[in-house]
Amino acid sequence: MKQRDKKQVKRYAGKLLNISLPDLDILDDIKDKELYKTARTHDKSKTSFKAGMNLVEGRVTEIKSNYLYIVEVEGETRRSSMSGRLKQYLYKSQALAAVGDKVSLDISAMPDSRIEHVLPRKNALIRYGEGSFQKEIVLAANIDQVIITSSWRMPIFKPGLIDRYLCIAAIQNIPAIIVINKIDLLEYPEDLEAETAYYKQLGIPLICTSPVDGTGMEELREKLKGMDSVFTGHSGTGKSTLINYLEPGLNLLTAEVSEHNEKGKHTTTQAVLLPWSFGGHLLDTPGIKTISLHADHKVLIPKVFPGFDLYYPHCRFRDCSHTHEAECAVLQALEDDKIPIERYDSYLSIYEGL
Ligand SMILES: Nc1nc2c(ncn2[C@@H]2O[C@H](COP(=O)(O)OP(=O)(O)OP(=O)(O)O)[C@@H](O)[C@H]2O)c(=O)[nH]1
Ligand SMILES: [Mg+2]
Ligand SMILES: [Zn+2]
C-alpha cells in the first residue's frame, strides 16, 4: 500500500457508517489477481519482458567465469554472457548454468549473445565436497551415459568400485556402461567370466577393451556415437589412453584444461564438453574422478545397489536395509545363491561406509 493511501484509510477509519459489502464475485476477482501476482513474481526468473529478442537454443559447453559462458549453437560456439535477471533470481545455485545445460540465447545484439533461460535438466552429475558440510557442486547436466572405466590388471579389477559407481550413476539418473580395459593382460578367460557374470546377467552393458591391441575399441566407439558420455574411474585404468585412441586430436584440449588449473581459477571443478569427430560429446573434468556419494544417499543404496531392484519390493519393510530385518528378500536371495556373497559384502561396505 502506498503511503498516500495509508493516510486516507486512517482519516476515514472512524467515519465509515454505511458499509455495504461488495459483491462477493468481486472479492474473488481481487483474490485471483493477488494469486496471479505471486505466481508471476515466482515465475519472473523464467520470463523476460525485454523486447526484440531473437532467441535460439544452445548448449553450454564450457564456463569460463561467472560472466563468460561458451555456448554451442548448431555446431558453432559463441561466447555469451548471462542475463542479469537470471543472476538475480538463481543466486542460490552454485553456477547459474552448468556445462551441458540447454539454454535459450538471445542473439539479437550480435556479436554479443546472452543466456536468457536455462531449460530444465534431465539429470545432473553432482560432486559433493569433503567434510561434514558436503557442499553440492554440479559438474555437468544432461549427460547421456557414464563410462565406468576399470582395468583388468594394473590396477587389478575391483568389482566393489564398479558397484559404487553403479550406485552413483543410478542415484544421479545416468545410464552406465562398464568398461574393463587392459584386457590384453587377461590370462584365463574363465576368471573374467566369473567376475562379470553378475553384471551381464543384470543386462548392464559391459565392454572389454584394449587400446594396446585394439580389442573392443570399435564396440566402444559405437556406444559413444551420438551420445554425451562421461568417463569415470580410478587413476591409471586407462581413460586418457582410451580417449586418445578414439580421438587422437583431443590431447590438445586436455592441455588447455590444465592451463586453467595453473591459473587457479574457480573453473577447475567445471567440466568441458568436447565434440567427438564421430558424433556426440566427451565430458571432461578434473573433478570427475572424485564423484562421490552424499551421506543423505544412504537410504537409497538398499534400492539402487545393482540387482537389488529385483528383490527389495518383496521385503517386508519398505525401508528394509537388508542387514538384519525379518522377511528380507535380499537376504533370502543371498541364501538361495542368487546374489553372490562378494556382491552382498560390497553392498554392506558401501551402505555402512555412509
Ligand atoms: N597393457 C595395457 N596398458 C594400458 C592400456 N590402456 C592404458 N594402459 C597404460 O596404463 C597407464 C595409465 O593410463 P592412463 O590413460 O594415463 O590412465 P587414466 O585412467 O587416464 O589415469 P588418470 O588420468 O590418472 O585417471 C598408461 O601407462 C597406459 O599406457 C591397455 O589397454 N593395456
Ligand atoms: Mg587420465
Ligand atoms: Zn530387505
Side-chain angles (χ1 to χ4, degrees), residues 49-66:
F49 299 100
K50 278 176 218 137
M53 289 199 295
N54 181 5
L55 294 178
V56 295
E57 198 173 299
R59 183 115 190 262
V60 177
T61 56
E62 195 175 346
I63 299 174
K64 295 283 193 190
S65 73
N66 266 339

